[in-house]
Amino acid sequence: MQDLAPTLPCRILGRRPQTRALLLAPLILLAPETIASEATVRLELGAKETAVNEPVIAELVVENYEQVGEPRVPRGDRYTVRALGGPTRNDSLTIVNGRRTMTRSLRYTFEITPTETGVLIIPPFSINVDGRERETQPARLNVRKAEAQELLLAEITCNRTRLYVGQNVTYTLLLWVKPAVAGRRELNANEMYTLLDGRRQGFGPFPAVRQYNEREREFPDGTRGRYIVYETALATVADRPGPPDFGDLLIAMDYPTSFSRGIFGDLEPREVRRLRVRPAIAAPEAQPLPADGRPPGFNGAVGTIELRVRAAPTAVGVGDPITLTIELAGDAPIESLPPPLLDAQRDLLASFRVPSEALAGSVQGDCKRFTQTIRPNAPSVSVIPPIEYPYFDPVAEQYRVARSEPIPISVAAVERLESGELAASTPQSGEPESADLRVRDVLRGLVTSERELLAAHTEVTIPALLTATAAPAVLYAGCWAFVALRGGDSHARRRRQRAYHVATARLRDAAALPPAQRPAAIAVALARCVADRTGEPAARCAGRGALEILETRGVGRELLAAWAELVAECEQAAYAGSPQADGTLVERARECVRQLEREGL
């Protein structure tokens, strides 16, 4: 219930409220009686007649109240109701023959838009006033048919005839506006555009209009009309199965029917028709990715993918690093393309050591680039096998695998110096110093002559000795003091201490996101929670990578099972729009984070 505190009502023009209160105070004190009226509610319509899709302003008026609840709006199939704001409050005091009459009123403003012709009976609005449920009288509204040539039309088209979750898509919003006539001329495109709501901020998810043209439109009854067509496009990614969701998109326009001249001679609308139109949507529903035929290593990429791989250097020794540069291009959503799973490719693992961390990519022009370091494990390796990247081709409606070309390399064996060879390299007694030591690898060029080694000695002085013995102790004491002053609060320790609170805040933010974006945000929060608790890189804790880390840290089987199930559902919801992607995912994630905190990891 909303408790509205009384204020001093008055109706004296040209005075501020404080001044009016002082002027009325003697009258209020002298008036012998105050008449309190009974609370009333009523519905006031701004017009008794309108056309289809043309809204009428309706005000719910509450008078003589003490406490007022929230109004309940009736719903129907032949009209829509939209709240415009409020309530606005107006208090007044009337004194007649020494009697004071206090009037307090609240006004709630609504917009009622009929969708069919005929007589529309608007059911009663209800509201709780002073603990009692009160209703307005039913209202009557005559709704006529709109003109054959509409004044405002809106439609949304799509550049795809078939659409899958995760695919790039562009929606185009077209606004058809019939030019208004002022005297002997028609308003131009710029003048008509100023009458559209949303011309600056955009129309729902669509940006502001950047271009327009003139077209002729033919209606089903054979009539034709000339229109100004405003066009704006929205490039996005289909993030969930089903029809596209543009929110409560409503195109509004105050269409002028007559004009007048302002004080500076400017043309101004004198009478307008409040037009409200919901766009007709001609776009396919997004289909979930098929489960059949999904190749191993599929990571959610949708579109046509081109794969390019480079390696440097190509002449190395066993165990030396080779940097792979992997570039992905095509008509897929480049920014959100996941990395290739190199540690899942058997041919590569057979000949190279490959890190298991998830790759972090960056967008470079029209491609996304990933880098990874691999190391050959044998001198017999002569080629880097093709890198594979599975994806779903929405045009062919099947899964495909992009493969790079094999890259030839040369791997040299690393020479090792055995202990026997080291002994053989030392001159024996009586052997000439100029003998060929045949020292291999890093021992080549070392001085091995006893006479030379003794001649190259450095004299040890007492100051040097004191410095050498005291410096480590002083350095240790300084480091100990620094750590003591800092309280031992390292960055890793702070991350562990704040992990639970940071994860809780991230899950709270995820709960506020739209359902389609919620699973991915939950997965990120879980991965970063494990990273903060263990000090591991966040990329390594993504998805199922966190399970291996938790298992090695001794986390209980029950928590591991719950964590694995939750991660799998989040991935399924992100890729294929699982119906389980609801609010329970957030609560389950919070419980997993709480259990991880209790484990004391």
Side-chain angles (χ1 to χ4, degrees):
M1 297 295 288
Q2 182 180 3
D3 188 9
L4 300 175
T7 59
L8 180 64
C10 48
R11 287 183 178 174
I12 299 180
L13 298 178
R15 302 286 186 181
R16 291 183 294 181
Q18 297 86 346
T19 306
R20 288 180 287 182
L22 293 174
L23 292 176
L24 281 177
L27 298 178
I28 296 173
L29 294 175
L30 293 175
E33 183 180 358
T34 300
I35 301 176
S37 303
E38 184 181 358
T40 61
V41 297
R42 68 179 183 274
L43 186 68
E44 297 180 354
L45 293 181
K48 296 181 179 180
E49 184 178 355
T50 187
V52 174
N53 293 329
E54 294 188 21
V56 171
I57 297 298
E59 288 189 324
L60 174 62
V61 183
V62 183
E63 292 183 337
N64 304 318
Y65 60 89
E66 291 297 331
Q67 290 184 331
V68 179
E70 292 296 326
R72 282 172 288 281
V73 179
R75 304 297 178 183
D77 298 333
R78 299 178 55 195
Y79 64 92
T80 61
V81 180
R82 186 166 69 101
L84 296 184
T88 58
R89 175 175 169 175
N90 182 32
D91 296 354
S92 63
L93 170 66
T94 304
I95 302 177
V96 179
N97 296 328
R99 292 188 174 184
R100 297 176 296 173
T101 302
M102 297 281 294
T103 303
R104 308 174 65 194
S105 66
L106 286 178
R107 288 181 176 267
Y108 299 85
T109 306
F110 300 92
E111 191 179 73
I112 300 177
T113 306
T115 56
E116 297 181 8
T117 59
V119 177
L120 175 62
I121 304 298
I122 302 173
F125 284 61
S126 62
I127 188 170
N128 190 291
V129 182
D130 299 336
R132 175 183 169 188
E133 199 71 19
R134 299 178 184 269
E135 293 185 345
T136 65
Q137 294 294 324
R140 180 187 179 97
L141 184 63
N142 295 322
V143 184
R144 66 178 183 274
K145 184 178 180 180
E147 293 85 350
Q149 295 181 350
E150 294 282 355
L151 304 178
L152 173 66
L153 301 98
E155 58 186 5
I156 296 175
T157 61
C158 177
N159 66 334
R160 307 285 186 187
T161 57
R162 190 169 178 83
L163 186 62
Y164 285 90
V165 173
Q167 186 178 5
N168 267 336
V169 60
T170 300
Y171 297 103
T172 302
L173 172 64
L174 300 175
L175 304 178
W176 299 69
V177 179
K178 189 174 181 61
V181 178
R184 296 183 178 180
R185 78 173 183 90
E186 291 183 345
L187 270 65
N188 59 37
N190 291 330
E191 292 171 326
M192 294 302 298
Y193 188 61
T194 61
L195 304 173
L196 283 165
D197 286 353
R199 60 188 182 275
R200 293 187 179 91
Q201 290 79 21
F203 305 89
F206 289 87
V209 168
R210 291 290 181 264
Q211 61 182 357
Y212 66 88
N213 54 60
E214 293 189 4
R215 302 186 198 176
E216 191 175 74
R217 187 182 182 100
E218 183 175 356
F219 293 91
D221 61 357
T223 59
R224 292 177 174 271
R226 188 173 59 83
Y227 285 84
I228 302 171
V229 182
Y230 302 95
E231 182 176 329
T232 177
L234 171 66
T236 184
V237 177
D239 58 358
R240 61 177 182 82
D245 182 15
F246 302 105
D248 188 21
L249 179 57
L250 188 70
I251 307 301
M253 183 180 193
D254 290 340
Y255 193 92
T257 56
S258 63
F259 296 86
S260 61
R261 293 288 179 179
I263 59 175
F264 298 105
D266 298 333
L267 196 64
E268 298 177 351
R270 182 173 57 192
E271 296 180 352
V272 298
R273 295 176 60 177
R274 300 173 61 87
L275 304 181
R276 302 292 184 270
V277 175
R278 294 193 182 279
I281 300 176
E285 294 188 4
Q287 306 295 321
L289 299 182
D292 296 338
R294 184 174 297 180
F298 176 71
N299 211 10
V302 178
T304 56
I305 305 294
E306 298 177 7
L307 176 63
R308 300 186 294 268
V309 179
R310 302 190 305 271
T314 56
V316 295
V318 173
D320 290 344
I322 300 176
T323 300
L324 287 182
T325 302
I326 304 169
E327 294 181 344
L328 302 175
D331 68 349
I334 297 298
E335 294 82 1
S336 58
L337 279 180
L341 302 178
L342 297 182
D343 58 342
Q345 302 190 23
R346 295 182 179 179
D347 291 345
L348 188 65
L349 293 177
S351 303
F352 295 87
R353 297 202 305 271
V354 181
S356 59
E357 293 87 354
L359 303 183
S362 61
V363 177
Q364 306 287 336
D366 60 348
C367 69
K368 191 168 186 179
R369 182 176 299 167
F370 302 90
T371 58
Q372 181 63 285
T373 299
I374 61 176
R375 299 173 185 269
N377 54 23
S380 59
V381 177
S382 61
V383 66
I384 299 176
I387 303 301
E388 296 183 347
Y389 191 79
Y391 64 94
F392 180 78
D393 187 345
V395 178
E397 300 184 89
Q398 62 181 357
Y399 290 96
R400 297 183 183 276
V401 178
R403 291 181 175 85
S404 65
E405 294 293 329
I407 302 176
I409 62 173
S410 61
V411 180
V414 176
E415 292 189 71
R416 289 184 171 84
L417 187 64
E418 303 296 339
S419 59
E421 296 175 313
L422 180 61
S425 65
T426 304
Q428 302 298 323
S429 58
E431 185 178 356
E433 295 183 3
S434 60
D436 184 8
L437 299 179
R438 304 183 183 276
V439 180
R440 298 184 179 185
D441 220 4
V442 296
L443 296 183
R444 180 175 291 112
L446 292 181
V447 176
T448 59
S449 169
E450 181 179 356
R451 183 165 56 85
E452 292 183 5
L453 290 174
L454 292 176
H457 77 282
T458 302
E459 183 179 357
V460 178
T461 63
I462 293 179
L465 181 62
L466 292 176
T467 301
T469 54
V474 173
L475 182 61
Y476 174 80
C479 294
W480 181 87
F482 176 78
V483 173
L485 291 175
R486 291 291 302 271
D489 189 15
S490 65
H491 176 67
R493 182 178 178 183
R494 290 196 300 272
R495 284 182 65 189
R496 287 196 301 272
Q497 291 175 341
R498 299 176 59 244
Y500 175 75
H501 300 289
V502 172
T504 302
R506 286 171 177 157
L507 291 174
R508 183 171 59 250
D509 295 340
L513 293 174
Q517 303 174 13
R518 197 175 300 155
I522 294 173
V524 171
L526 293 175
R528 292 185 176 178
C529 177
V530 176
D532 291 341
R533 296 291 300 180
T534 61
E536 296 286 348
R540 186 178 178 187
C541 301
R544 293 175 175 80
L547 299 177
E548 299 179 1
I549 297 174
L550 294 177
E551 187 175 6
T552 57
R553 298 299 180 96
V555 172
R557 294 186 177 274
E558 182 179 352
L559 176 57
L560 284 176
W563 199 288
E565 182 180 0
L566 182 60
V567 168
E569 290 183 16
C570 289
E571 291 179 350
Q572 177 68 15
Y575 294 151
S578 170
Q580 298 179 356
D582 53 24
T584 62
L585 289 179
V586 176
E587 292 303 323
R588 291 166 56 193
R590 287 172 178 160
E591 181 59 28
C592 285
V593 171
R594 282 193 290 266
Q595 291 185 20
L596 187 62
E597 182 72 11
R598 288 194 292 266
E599 293 263 352
L601 180 65

